[in-house]
Amino acid sequence: MTQTPFHVVFAIFDQITQLDFTGPAQFLCRMPGAQVHVASATLDPVVTDVGFAIVPTTTFADCPQADLLCVPGGLGVAPALSDAQLINFVRNQASEAQWVTSVCTGAFILGRAGLLQGRRATTHWGYTGLLPMVGAVREDARTVFDGNVVTAGGVTSGIDFALTIIAELHGEDVARSLQLNFEYDPAPPFAGGTPATSPKPIVAMMRERFYDARAAEMEAALNATA
């Protein structure tokens, strides 16, 4: 008996954070029946925020309808908020998708497409205060489900989101099997990883050196595209 494909579509754009995309993609591609599509405006390589490129598998125009749509984040989100082709693709795909998801600041792409209005959502800790600008209700969690919309926090949380979705679709045993397959057993060398668990001087330093400026850029981009 032929299994109906479950189409997983990642919408990508220049300056995405590659782990926002590749983390969940590595897990979701192993779901029973999964077919992963990497969609962009063209088939030209998409440059990530670490300098190497990812080659899309399909264009927005030719992409099949997603069963699960995922939008990663990264340094390219602020300029992407004014990319009508990307926003329209996300909005149109979301209208028929079973699951509409994001990782990190990809939540703001969902928000700009009108998909977070009145919904609980999360994003990277450096930007959570901006979620109300796209109509979302901020929730500080690694993964937030609100109906069929799922938002994950910063970067590595995309793996947790993928495993949670897999469990929803195929049961906990399948999710646990994939967790074992990829030896996902986080044991970081340092306590931290969130503002609440990191030393206050490090949090302050990161905000001052990076996130205050980046959040201001995101806020300006959201205002410009409101």
Side-chain angles (χ1 to χ4, degrees):
M1 181 177 179
T2 303
Q3 188 171 36
T4 301
F6 184 87
H7 296 288
V8 178
V9 173
F10 288 89
I12 67 170
F13 44 90
D14 280 340
Q15 297 296 305
I16 62 167
T17 294
Q18 63 86 17
L19 189 55
D20 286 7
F21 158 55
T22 56
Q26 187 67 66
F27 284 78
L28 293 172
C29 76
R30 298 295 178 90
M31 285 193 304
Q35 289 187 8
V36 173
H37 308 274
V38 184
S40 189
T42 72
L43 293 178
D44 294 337
V46 172
V47 178
T48 68
D49 62 8
V50 294
F52 64 77
I54 293 170
V55 180
T57 62
T58 186
T59 64
F60 292 157
D62 294 333
C63 186
Q65 172 59 51
D67 294 298
L68 186 151
L69 173 68
C70 185
V71 183
L75 300 180
V77 167
L81 291 170
S82 60
D83 183 342
Q85 193 174 6
L86 170 66
I87 300 302
N88 288 335
F89 173 77
V90 169
R91 183 184 296 117
N92 292 337
Q93 284 279 333
S95 67
E96 299 293 332
Q98 180 181 346
W99 295 98
V100 177
T101 74
S102 66
V103 179
C104 198
T105 52
F108 293 104
I109 301 291
L110 296 187
R112 180 50 61 236
L115 303 170
L116 294 185
Q117 196 67 39
R119 292 186 182 271
R120 294 175 293 105
T122 192
T123 188
H124 188 285
W125 63 265
Y127 305 87
T128 51
L130 301 178
L131 284 169
M133 293 185 69
V134 291
V137 178
R138 168 183 174 176
E139 183 168 316
D140 292 326
R142 196 156 169 86
T143 304
V144 174
F145 280 68
D146 191 326
N148 73 325
V149 175
V150 187
T151 51
V155 194
T156 59
S157 62
I159 295 174
D160 294 12
F161 135 71
L163 283 167
T164 306
I165 284 284
I166 291 166
E168 284 281 334
L169 290 169
H170 298 286
E172 189 173 307
D173 284 352
V174 172
R176 285 181 174 273
S177 297
L178 290 174
Q179 183 174 353
L180 174 61
N181 181 65
F182 292 115
E183 202 170 349
Y184 181 56
D185 183 26
F190 311 108
T194 71
T197 57
S198 299
K200 289 182 180 179
I202 291 179
V203 176
M205 178 269 290
M206 290 297 292
R207 288 191 184 278
E208 181 180 352
R209 290 188 180 181
F210 190 82
Y211 287 108
D212 285 348
R214 293 297 182 186
E217 289 178 9
M218 188 75 77
E219 183 174 9
L222 289 166
N223 281 323
T225 55

